[in-house]
Structures are given as C-alpha cells and as structure tokens.
C-alpha cells in the first residue's frame, strides 16, 4: 500500500506501452547486458521478477528474461576473452 511505489510502477508500465514491443525488448536486453557485464546481481533479480509484468505474462516474461540473460552473459564472456592490456 505504498502510493509512491504504485505511481512509479504505473509510470514505467505506461512508458513501456508507448515505446513498442521491439524497443521494449531491446532496452530489456541492454539492461540485462549491463547487469551481466558489471556483475550486478540485485539488478538481475529485479529484471527477472519484472519481466512477467513488462511482457504480459509469466511465460512471455520467462522467455524474454532467459533470452536477454543469455545475450548478456555472452557479451560478458566475449569481453572477458578479449586480449587487451586493460585486464
């Protein structure tokens, strides 16, 4: 019963409904990639739980979350395998 949390969630959902499904998925994949590359585990929990709300159901959210997490992990792995002097 937190009105500020409800207002924040409503504004995120309203924004997500205006940008279109492709852009929503692209931003979701970008967010998962950032979470995986920077090892921000709490962000992964939030994204996994929010995916069902964002994509309209448990199965759709689970598929989007699994796909986005796989892409993010692949990018993190590729960055780790680069032969750069930064490592």
């Amino acid at each position: 019963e937190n009105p500020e949390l409800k207002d924040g969630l409503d504004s995120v959902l309203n924004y997500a409904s205006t940008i279109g499904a492709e852009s929503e998925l692209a931003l979701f994949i970008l967010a998962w990639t950032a979470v995986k590359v920077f090892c921000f585990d709490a962000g992964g929990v939030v994204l996994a739980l929010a995916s069902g709300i964002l994509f309209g159901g448990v199965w759709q959210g689970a598929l989007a979350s699994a796909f986005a997490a796989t892409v993010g992990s692949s990018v993190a792995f590729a960055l780790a395998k680069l032969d750069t002097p930064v490592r």
Side-chain angles (χ1 to χ4, degrees):
E1 299 287 334
N2 186 346
E4 292 174 1
L5 181 64
K6 185 180 182 315
D7 291 341
L9 182 60
D10 287 341
S11 67
V12 168
L13 291 175
N14 287 335
Y15 177 72
S17 66
T18 61
I19 63 172
E22 295 85 11
S23 298
E24 184 179 356
L25 184 60
L27 287 174
F28 192 71
I29 291 171
L30 184 66
W32 260 112
T33 302
V35 163
K36 291 295 186 173
V37 168
F38 295 112
C39 299
F40 183 55
D41 293 333
V45 171
V46 170
L47 286 173
L49 293 175
S51 63
I53 296 169
L54 287 173
F55 294 103
V58 174
W59 290 109
Q60 296 93 333
L63 288 173
S65 188
F67 177 73
T70 302
V71 170
S73 296
S74 299
V75 170
F77 179 77
L79 288 173
K81 294 301 285 181
L82 286 177
D83 188 25
T84 63
V86 176
R87 293 194 288 160

